[in-house]
mmCIF file of all heavy atoms in Angstrom:
data_model
loop_
_atom_site.group_PDB
_atom_site.id
_atom_site.type_symbol
_atom_site.label_atom_id
_atom_site.label_comp_id
_atom_site.label_asym_id
_atom_site.label_seq_id
_atom_site.Cartn_x
_atom_site.Cartn_y
_atom_site.Cartn_z
ATOM 1 N N LEU A 1 0.826 -1.201 0.000
ATOM 2 C CA LEU A 1 0.000 0.000 0.000
ATOM 3 C C LEU A 1 0.863 1.255 0.000
ATOM 4 O O LEU A 1 1.955 1.267 0.571
ATOM 5 C CB LEU A 1 -0.901 0.029 1.241
ATOM 6 C CG LEU A 1 -1.897 -1.118 1.430
ATOM 7 C CD1 LEU A 1 -2.528 -1.029 2.812
ATOM 8 C CD2 LEU A 1 -2.967 -1.094 0.349
ATOM 9 N N SER A 2 0.336 2.294 -0.634
ATOM 10 C CA SER A 2 0.941 3.623 -0.564
ATOM 11 C C SER A 2 0.061 4.480 0.324
ATOM 12 O O SER A 2 -1.153 4.504 0.173
ATOM 13 C CB SER A 2 1.024 4.238 -1.970
ATOM 14 O OG SER A 2 1.279 5.627 -1.890
ATOM 15 N N VAL A 3 0.687 5.187 1.278
ATOM 16 C CA VAL A 3 -0.047 6.060 2.194
ATOM 17 C C VAL A 3 0.489 7.481 2.034
ATOM 18 O O VAL A 3 1.688 7.714 2.149
ATOM 19 C CB VAL A 3 0.117 5.610 3.660
ATOM 20 C CG1 VAL A 3 -0.782 6.439 4.575
ATOM 21 C CG2 VAL A 3 -0.201 4.140 3.809
ATOM 22 N N VAL A 4 -0.418 8.414 1.738
ATOM 23 C CA VAL A 4 -0.019 9.805 1.503
ATOM 24 C C VAL A 4 -0.766 10.710 2.469
ATOM 25 O O VAL A 4 -1.946 10.496 2.768
ATOM 26 C CB VAL A 4 -0.330 10.222 0.040
ATOM 27 C CG1 VAL A 4 0.087 11.671 -0.199
ATOM 28 C CG2 VAL A 4 0.372 9.291 -0.939
ATOM 29 N N SER A 5 -0.068 11.742 2.947
ATOM 30 C CA SER A 5 -0.649 12.700 3.881
ATOM 31 C C SER A 5 -0.064 14.075 3.605
ATOM 32 O O SER A 5 1.076 14.194 3.150
ATOM 33 C CB SER A 5 -0.334 12.273 5.321
ATOM 34 O OG SER A 5 -0.542 13.333 6.224
ATOM 35 N N ARG A 6 -0.839 15.120 3.893
ATOM 36 C CA ARG A 6 -0.291 16.473 3.716
ATOM 37 C C ARG A 6 0.622 16.853 4.884
ATOM 38 O O ARG A 6 1.323 17.858 4.827
ATOM 39 C CB ARG A 6 -1.415 17.497 3.567
ATOM 40 C CG ARG A 6 -2.383 17.571 4.715
ATOM 41 C CD ARG A 6 -3.528 18.530 4.412
ATOM 42 N NE ARG A 6 -4.526 18.535 5.465
ATOM 43 C CZ ARG A 6 -4.430 19.248 6.583
ATOM 44 N NH1 ARG A 6 -3.368 19.995 6.799
ATOM 45 N NH2 ARG A 6 -5.390 19.205 7.481
ATOM 46 N N LEU A 7 0.610 16.036 5.952
ATOM 47 C CA LEU A 7 1.502 16.246 7.089
ATOM 48 C C LEU A 7 2.525 15.122 7.158
ATOM 49 O O LEU A 7 2.243 13.995 6.748
ATOM 50 C CB LEU A 7 0.701 16.288 8.401
ATOM 51 C CG LEU A 7 -0.312 17.422 8.551
ATOM 52 C CD1 LEU A 7 -1.041 17.288 9.881
ATOM 53 C CD2 LEU A 7 0.367 18.779 8.458
ATOM 54 N N PRO A 8 3.738 15.379 7.653
ATOM 55 C CA PRO A 8 4.751 14.317 7.745
ATOM 56 C C PRO A 8 4.346 13.241 8.745
ATOM 57 O O PRO A 8 3.617 13.500 9.705
ATOM 58 C CB PRO A 8 6.003 15.073 8.213
ATOM 59 C CG PRO A 8 5.486 16.308 8.887
ATOM 60 C CD PRO A 8 4.238 16.689 8.146
ATOM 61 N N PHE A 9 4.824 12.019 8.509
ATOM 62 C CA PHE A 9 4.543 10.897 9.401
ATOM 63 C C PHE A 9 5.661 10.717 10.426
ATOM 64 O O PHE A 9 6.814 11.063 10.172
ATOM 65 C CB PHE A 9 4.433 9.589 8.605
ATOM 66 C CG PHE A 9 3.247 9.526 7.686
ATOM 67 C CD1 PHE A 9 3.410 9.183 6.346
ATOM 68 C CD2 PHE A 9 1.973 9.787 8.149
ATOM 69 C CE1 PHE A 9 2.332 9.111 5.494
ATOM 70 C CE2 PHE A 9 0.882 9.721 7.305
ATOM 71 C CZ PHE A 9 1.056 9.383 5.972
ATOM 72 N N ILE A 10 5.299 10.136 11.554
ATOM 73 C CA ILE A 10 6.281 9.649 12.518
ATOM 74 C C ILE A 10 6.309 8.132 12.383
ATOM 75 O O ILE A 10 5.273 7.471 12.505
ATOM 76 C CB ILE A 10 5.913 10.058 13.957
ATOM 77 C CG1 ILE A 10 5.912 11.591 14.077
ATOM 78 C CG2 ILE A 10 6.868 9.441 14.967
ATOM 79 C CD1 ILE A 10 5.425 12.107 15.406
ATOM 80 N N GLN A 11 7.476 7.583 12.091
ATOM 81 C CA GLN A 11 7.619 6.160 11.773
ATOM 82 C C GLN A 11 6.927 5.259 12.790
ATOM 83 O O GLN A 11 6.126 4.404 12.446
ATOM 84 C CB GLN A 11 9.111 5.801 11.689
ATOM 85 C CG GLN A 11 9.412 4.313 11.539
ATOM 86 C CD GLN A 11 9.286 3.817 10.114
ATOM 87 O OE1 GLN A 11 9.514 4.572 9.174
ATOM 88 N NE2 GLN A 11 8.944 2.553 9.949
ATOM 89 N N GLU A 12 7.215 5.479 14.073
ATOM 90 C CA GLU A 12 6.690 4.586 15.113
ATOM 91 C C GLU A 12 5.160 4.658 15.194
ATOM 92 O O GLU A 12 4.491 3.640 15.374
ATOM 93 C CB GLU A 12 7.302 4.942 16.482
ATOM 94 C CG GLU A 12 8.784 4.666 16.606
ATOM 95 C CD GLU A 12 9.640 5.738 15.928
ATOM 96 O OE1 GLU A 12 9.070 6.777 15.502
ATOM 97 O OE2 GLU A 12 10.846 5.520 15.791
ATOM 98 N N GLN A 13 4.617 5.865 15.037
ATOM 99 C CA GLN A 13 3.168 6.014 15.144
ATOM 100 C C GLN A 13 2.443 5.391 13.957
ATOM 101 O O GLN A 13 1.418 4.732 14.119
ATOM 102 C CB GLN A 13 2.807 7.503 15.266
ATOM 103 C CG GLN A 13 3.264 8.116 16.573
ATOM 104 C CD GLN A 13 2.921 9.589 16.674
ATOM 105 O OE1 GLN A 13 2.463 10.197 15.715
ATOM 106 N NE2 GLN A 13 3.149 10.170 17.842
ATOM 107 N N LEU A 14 2.985 5.586 12.751
ATOM 108 C CA LEU A 14 2.344 5.007 11.570
ATOM 109 C C LEU A 14 2.438 3.484 11.602
ATOM 110 O O LEU A 14 1.492 2.769 11.257
ATOM 111 C CB LEU A 14 2.984 5.549 10.287
ATOM 112 C CG LEU A 14 2.171 5.285 9.014
ATOM 113 C CD1 LEU A 14 0.893 6.114 9.026
ATOM 114 C CD2 LEU A 14 2.983 5.599 7.770
ATOM 115 N N PHE A 15 3.586 2.967 12.049
ATOM 116 C CA PHE A 15 3.744 1.514 12.171
ATOM 117 C C PHE A 15 2.706 0.954 13.144
ATOM 118 O O PHE A 15 2.061 -0.063 12.863
ATOM 119 C CB PHE A 15 5.158 1.174 12.662
ATOM 120 C CG PHE A 15 5.437 -0.308 12.749
ATOM 121 C CD1 PHE A 15 6.033 -0.979 11.693
ATOM 122 C CD2 PHE A 15 5.092 -1.038 13.880
ATOM 123 C CE1 PHE A 15 6.282 -2.338 11.766
ATOM 124 C CE2 PHE A 15 5.335 -2.396 13.960
ATOM 125 C CZ PHE A 15 5.932 -3.048 12.898
ATOM 126 N N ALA A 16 2.542 1.621 14.284
ATOM 127 C CA ALA A 16 1.577 1.149 15.287
ATOM 128 C C ALA A 16 0.158 1.169 14.732
ATOM 129 O O ALA A 16 -0.634 0.268 15.016
ATOM 130 C CB ALA A 16 1.668 2.017 16.540
ATOM 131 N N LEU A 17 -0.167 2.185 13.912
ATOM 132 C CA LEU A 17 -1.508 2.294 13.334
ATOM 133 C C LEU A 17 -1.792 1.144 12.374
ATOM 134 O O LEU A 17 -2.825 0.473 12.469
ATOM 135 C CB LEU A 17 -1.653 3.634 12.607
ATOM 136 C CG LEU A 17 -2.994 3.900 11.909
ATOM 137 C CD1 LEU A 17 -4.125 3.960 12.928
ATOM 138 C CD2 LEU A 17 -2.927 5.193 11.105
ATOM 139 N N PHE A 18 -0.870 0.864 11.457
ATOM 140 C CA PHE A 18 -1.106 -0.184 10.466
ATOM 141 C C PHE A 18 -0.844 -1.586 11.028
ATOM 142 O O PHE A 18 -1.306 -2.574 10.458
ATOM 143 C CB PHE A 18 -0.252 0.069 9.218
ATOM 144 C CG PHE A 18 -0.853 1.095 8.294
ATOM 145 C CD1 PHE A 18 -0.678 2.442 8.522
ATOM 146 C CD2 PHE A 18 -1.641 0.716 7.213
ATOM 147 C CE1 PHE A 18 -1.260 3.400 7.701
ATOM 148 C CE2 PHE A 18 -2.227 1.652 6.377
ATOM 149 C CZ PHE A 18 -2.034 2.999 6.626
ATOM 150 N N ASP A 19 -0.152 -1.673 12.150
ATOM 151 C CA ASP A 19 0.085 -2.973 12.786
ATOM 152 C C ASP A 19 -1.170 -3.481 13.498
ATOM 153 O O ASP A 19 -1.211 -4.627 13.941
ATOM 154 C CB ASP A 19 1.241 -2.859 13.789
ATOM 155 C CG ASP A 19 1.763 -4.228 14.227
ATOM 156 O OD1 ASP A 19 1.820 -5.147 13.378
ATOM 157 O OD2 ASP A 19 2.106 -4.382 15.414
ATOM 158 N N LEU A 20 -2.219 -2.642 13.591
ATOM 159 C CA LEU A 20 -3.497 -3.106 14.140
ATOM 160 C C LEU A 20 -4.117 -4.168 13.242
ATOM 161 O O LEU A 20 -4.905 -4.997 13.691
ATOM 162 C CB LEU A 20 -4.470 -1.931 14.275
ATOM 163 C CG LEU A 20 -4.109 -0.891 15.348
ATOM 164 C CD1 LEU A 20 -5.029 0.310 15.248
ATOM 165 C CD2 LEU A 20 -4.189 -1.496 16.733
ATOM 166 N N VAL A 21 -3.749 -4.154 11.956
ATOM 167 C CA VAL A 21 -4.185 -5.200 11.030
ATOM 168 C C VAL A 21 -3.115 -6.284 11.013
ATOM 169 O O VAL A 21 -1.941 -5.988 10.809
ATOM 170 C CB VAL A 21 -4.383 -4.631 9.609
ATOM 171 C CG1 VAL A 21 -4.770 -5.735 8.634
ATOM 172 C CG2 VAL A 21 -5.440 -3.532 9.620
ATOM 173 N N PRO A 22 -3.467 -7.544 11.241
ATOM 174 C CA PRO A 22 -2.469 -8.618 11.296
ATOM 175 C C PRO A 22 -1.694 -8.757 9.995
ATOM 176 O O PRO A 22 -2.224 -8.531 8.909
ATOM 177 C CB PRO A 22 -3.317 -9.874 11.546
ATOM 178 C CG PRO A 22 -4.597 -9.375 12.112
ATOM 179 C CD PRO A 22 -4.836 -8.036 11.490
ATOM 180 N N GLY A 23 -0.416 -9.134 10.131
ATOM 181 C CA GLY A 23 0.383 -9.474 8.955
ATOM 182 C C GLY A 23 1.259 -8.356 8.428
ATOM 183 O O GLY A 23 1.814 -8.474 7.326
ATOM 184 N N LEU A 24 1.445 -7.263 9.189
ATOM 185 C CA LEU A 24 2.306 -6.173 8.720
ATOM 186 C C LEU A 24 3.749 -6.652 8.617
ATOM 187 O O LEU A 24 4.313 -7.164 9.579
ATOM 188 C CB LEU A 24 2.215 -4.979 9.672
ATOM 189 C CG LEU A 24 3.053 -3.756 9.290
ATOM 190 C CD1 LEU A 24 2.585 -3.156 7.970
ATOM 191 C CD2 LEU A 24 3.015 -2.706 10.388
ATOM 192 N N GLU A 25 4.344 -6.500 7.425
ATOM 193 C CA GLU A 25 5.724 -6.921 7.217
ATOM 194 C C GLU A 25 6.702 -5.753 7.347
ATOM 195 O O GLU A 25 7.758 -5.893 7.940
ATOM 196 C CB GLU A 25 5.883 -7.585 5.842
ATOM 197 C CG GLU A 25 5.179 -8.933 5.755
ATOM 198 C CD GLU A 25 5.492 -9.666 4.465
ATOM 199 O OE1 GLU A 25 5.841 -9.006 3.458
ATOM 200 O OE2 GLU A 25 5.396 -10.910 4.468
ATOM 201 N N TYR A 26 6.373 -4.616 6.753
ATOM 202 C CA TYR A 26 7.219 -3.447 6.955
ATOM 203 C C TYR A 26 6.458 -2.152 6.690
ATOM 204 O O TYR A 26 5.429 -2.134 6.012
ATOM 205 C CB TYR A 26 8.492 -3.513 6.115
ATOM 206 C CG TYR A 26 8.318 -3.325 4.627
ATOM 207 C CD1 TYR A 26 8.132 -2.064 4.055
ATOM 208 C CD2 TYR A 26 8.380 -4.423 3.767
ATOM 209 C CE1 TYR A 26 7.994 -1.908 2.686
ATOM 210 C CE2 TYR A 26 8.239 -4.271 2.396
ATOM 211 C CZ TYR A 26 8.054 -2.999 1.864
ATOM 212 O OH TYR A 26 7.915 -2.847 0.506
ATOM 213 N N CYS A 27 6.990 -1.075 7.261
ATOM 214 C CA CYS A 27 6.433 0.272 7.102
ATOM 215 C C CYS A 27 7.601 1.206 6.840
ATOM 216 O O CYS A 27 8.434 1.421 7.714
ATOM 217 C CB CYS A 27 5.682 0.674 8.377
ATOM 218 S SG CYS A 27 5.185 2.413 8.422
ATOM 219 N N ASP A 28 7.677 1.743 5.636
ATOM 220 C CA ASP A 28 8.787 2.596 5.228
ATOM 221 C C ASP A 28 8.279 4.026 5.043
ATOM 222 O O ASP A 28 7.542 4.322 4.102
ATOM 223 C CB ASP A 28 9.404 2.071 3.921
ATOM 224 C CG ASP A 28 10.573 2.917 3.462
ATOM 225 O OD1 ASP A 28 11.180 3.587 4.323
ATOM 226 O OD2 ASP A 28 10.886 2.910 2.263
ATOM 227 N N VAL A 29 8.646 4.906 5.975
ATOM 228 C CA VAL A 29 8.182 6.296 5.944
ATOM 229 C C VAL A 29 9.210 7.176 5.233
ATOM 230 O O VAL A 29 10.405 7.096 5.507
ATOM 231 C CB VAL A 29 7.944 6.823 7.371
ATOM 232 C CG1 VAL A 29 7.703 8.329 7.367
ATOM 233 C CG2 VAL A 29 6.753 6.111 7.996
ATOM 234 N N GLN A 30 8.717 8.012 4.304
ATOM 235 C CA GLN A 30 9.574 8.953 3.590
ATOM 236 C C GLN A 30 8.983 10.349 3.709
ATOM 237 O O GLN A 30 7.806 10.505 4.016
ATOM 238 C CB GLN A 30 9.694 8.551 2.109
ATOM 239 C CG GLN A 30 10.245 7.143 1.923
ATOM 240 C CD GLN A 30 10.156 6.685 0.483
ATOM 241 O OE1 GLN A 30 9.845 7.459 -0.398
ATOM 242 N NE2 GLN A 30 10.430 5.407 0.259
ATOM 243 N N ARG A 31 9.814 11.367 3.466
ATOM 244 C CA ARG A 31 9.335 12.743 3.574
ATOM 245 C C ARG A 31 9.853 13.555 2.396
ATOM 246 O O ARG A 31 11.028 13.471 2.040
ATOM 247 C CB ARG A 31 9.795 13.363 4.889
ATOM 248 C CG ARG A 31 9.306 14.803 5.098
ATOM 249 C CD ARG A 31 9.763 15.394 6.407
ATOM 250 N NE ARG A 31 9.257 14.651 7.546
ATOM 251 C CZ ARG A 31 9.488 14.998 8.810
ATOM 252 N NH1 ARG A 31 10.218 16.068 9.080
ATOM 253 N NH2 ARG A 31 8.996 14.280 9.803
ATOM 254 N N ASP A 32 8.949 14.330 1.816
ATOM 255 C CA ASP A 32 9.329 15.221 0.731
ATOM 256 C C ASP A 32 9.909 16.499 1.351
ATOM 257 O O ASP A 32 9.199 17.241 2.027
ATOM 258 C CB ASP A 32 8.104 15.563 -0.119
ATOM 259 C CG ASP A 32 8.463 16.364 -1.365
ATOM 260 O OD1 ASP A 32 9.456 17.114 -1.315
ATOM 261 O OD2 ASP A 32 7.749 16.234 -2.379
ATOM 262 N N PRO A 33 11.212 16.784 1.145
ATOM 263 C CA PRO A 33 11.828 17.960 1.788
ATOM 264 C C PRO A 33 11.267 19.288 1.284
ATOM 265 O O PRO A 33 11.391 20.314 1.942
ATOM 266 C CB PRO A 33 13.311 17.810 1.419
ATOM 267 C CG PRO A 33 13.313 16.988 0.178
ATOM 268 C CD PRO A 33 12.151 16.049 0.303
ATOM 269 N N HIS A 34 10.631 19.281 0.111
ATOM 270 C CA HIS A 34 10.122 20.516 -0.469
ATOM 271 C C HIS A 34 8.712 20.846 0.019
ATOM 272 O O HIS A 34 8.390 22.000 0.291
ATOM 273 C CB HIS A 34 10.136 20.423 -2.001
ATOM 274 C CG HIS A 34 11.502 20.130 -2.563
ATOM 275 N ND1 HIS A 34 12.547 21.025 -2.486
ATOM 276 C CD2 HIS A 34 11.994 19.023 -3.184
ATOM 277 C CE1 HIS A 34 13.622 20.505 -3.045
ATOM 278 N NE2 HIS A 34 13.307 19.284 -3.475
ATOM 279 N N THR A 35 7.863 19.828 0.152
ATOM 280 C CA THR A 35 6.475 20.072 0.558
ATOM 281 C C THR A 35 6.202 19.704 2.005
ATOM 282 O O THR A 35 5.183 20.066 2.568
ATOM 283 C CB THR A 35 5.516 19.257 -0.329
ATOM 284 O OG1 THR A 35 5.752 17.850 -0.099
ATOM 285 C CG2 THR A 35 5.739 19.570 -1.799
ATOM 286 N N ASN A 36 7.112 18.944 2.624
ATOM 287 C CA ASN A 36 6.955 18.476 4.006
ATOM 288 C C ASN A 36 5.754 17.547 4.178
ATOM 289 O O ASN A 36 5.269 17.333 5.286
ATOM 290 C CB ASN A 36 6.817 19.659 4.975
ATOM 291 C CG ASN A 36 7.263 19.281 6.385
ATOM 292 O OD1 ASN A 36 8.228 18.527 6.554
ATOM 293 N ND2 ASN A 36 6.573 19.772 7.390
ATOM 294 N N SER A 37 5.239 17.008 3.071
ATOM 295 C CA SER A 37 4.119 16.077 3.162
ATOM 296 C C SER A 37 4.629 14.694 3.545
ATOM 297 O O SER A 37 5.835 14.417 3.488
ATOM 298 C CB SER A 37 3.375 16.012 1.823
ATOM 299 O OG SER A 37 4.252 15.598 0.794
ATOM 300 N N GLY A 38 3.710 13.838 3.953
ATOM 301 C CA GLY A 38 4.090 12.500 4.382
ATOM 302 C C GLY A 38 3.832 11.466 3.300
ATOM 303 O O GLY A 38 2.834 11.536 2.574
#
């Protein structure tokens, strides 16, 4: 899945949110330095 937000993500918080669904293998958070979006 691709997850997009107008605000930046915090790795630990986003991982905890999607880990509520069983089977999460990885969560890779990136940030656009120009727009600061998540």
